[in-house]
Amino acid sequence: MEKPRCVVVILTFNSASIIRETVAQAKKVSPHVYVVDSHSSDGTPTILEELGCTVVQRPFSNYSDQRNWAISQIERDYDWQLHLDADEVLDDRAVAEIGALLSGKPGFDAYLIRRCDYFMGKRLRFSGVNPWHLRLFRSGVGRCEARLYDQHFISTAKAGRLRGLMHDKNSAKLTDWIASHNRWSDAEAKEKLGPRSASDGVLQPKLMGDARERTRFIKEIYYKLPTGLRSLGYFVYRYVFRLGFLDGKTGFYFAFFQALWFRMLVDAKMYEKRLQQPQN
């Protein structure tokens, strides 16, 4: 029997407020939607089953572990995989483009999709972060890198680019954004203070690489700058040089919280952990 062409894989946890919109667009790409839920308590699994998704329950350890477990469950049964978060909604252009690729002979075995960020319920047209993500790939050529934070999918194949967008509609409320980024600051601090990951398991920083690799190269430089000064410099970069001011008040608040709250919080937690280490 011929394999189905594509499966859409989604991770969920208490995603009832957005999951219908995400799945509706995903279903336009493929009728096969495989969801790994982490024991949601807000009715998310019931909604998913009503929408005709395959739902499995698995406790959440970290993003990489959950993603790679999902890949291991489905890669033998489908030719292609499209990976989305619960709040990432494909636009119609991306849906049409992916449909055209999968109905023909794709020129690449992996594709990067541009992500459009939202903050406090408003789309950020200029000041979003990490816009390119590898999310569509042929089974067997992709996996999620082994990191605690800022994880990307990596592939053995050269990646093409899609012109459509996925709208990252998280953080409808500032309170939710702060709560999630407080957790992520723990992971980032632990990541930066821990041993470096093996080079074959993570996306490598490259000045002349793709958009993701260049961003990681710049981030390596960022962490060599003095604490405090680097957060302030990042705010100027986001708000001025990346034209965040054109997003109005929302752009200012995003640059402030991203640089002078989140990034400063990571630095403070790294400092605290160093203080707690036994002195030789």
Side-chain angles (χ1 to χ4, degrees), residues 191-203:
E191 179 79 44
K192 300 309 296 183
L193 292 176
R196 293 184 66 90
S197 302
S199 60
D200 60 348
V202 297
L203 184 74

Side-chain angles (χ1 to χ4, degrees), residues 11-16 36-42 44 86:
L11 304 186
T12 60
F13 176 69
N14 288 347
S15 309
V36 184
D37 184 73
S38 300
H39 300 285
S40 293
S41 58
D42 67 344
T44 296

Side-chain angles (χ1 to χ4, degrees), residues 16-53:
S17 63
I18 186 63
I19 197 61
R20 290 185 185 275
E21 188 176 358
T22 302
V23 171
Q25 291 298 95
K27 285 271 190 176
K28 295 177 183 178
V29 172
S30 172
H32 307 283
V33 178
Y34 183 87
V35 181
V36 184
D37 184 73
S38 300
H39 300 285
S40 293
S41 58
D42 67 344
T44 296
T46 301
I47 294 172
L48 291 167
E49 289 168 0
E50 290 174 356
L51 295 173
C53 304

Side-chain angles (χ1 to χ4, degrees), residues 162-201:
L162 300 178
R163 290 168 292 181
L165 299 173
M166 59 181 184
H167 294 262
D168 187 12
K169 296 190 176 183
N170 67 348
S171 307
K173 296 180 180 178
L174 180 59
T175 301
D176 297 332
W177 190 94
I178 289 174
S180 62
H181 279 70
N182 184 40
R183 295 192 302 271
W184 294 342
S185 66
D186 287 330
E188 175 78 337
K190 186 176 180 180
E191 179 79 44
K192 300 309 296 183
L193 292 176
R196 293 184 66 90
S197 302
S199 60
D200 60 348

Side-chain angles (χ1 to χ4, degrees), residues 95-162:
V95 168
E97 193 174 7
I98 295 170
L101 282 172
L102 297 179
S103 64
K105 293 183 178 180
F108 297 88
D109 287 335
Y111 286 88
L112 296 167
I113 305 177
R114 189 176 180 86
R115 186 179 69 185
C116 180
D117 289 331
Y118 286 67
F119 186 68
M120 298 170 69
K122 181 180 178 181
R123 178 179 175 180
L124 298 174
R125 296 183 178 276
F126 300 94
S127 45
V129 296
N130 296 334
W132 288 99
H133 293 263
L134 191 148
R135 295 299 186 84
L136 176 67
F137 51 86
R138 194 183 296 274
S139 291
V141 304
R143 68 185 188 281
C144 188
E145 62 176 336
R147 285 173 59 94
L148 297 177
Y149 175 69
D150 189 29
Q151 305 94 334
H152 284 268
F153 284 90
I154 54 177
S155 175
T156 56
K158 182 179 179 180
R161 285 190 177 192
L162 300 178

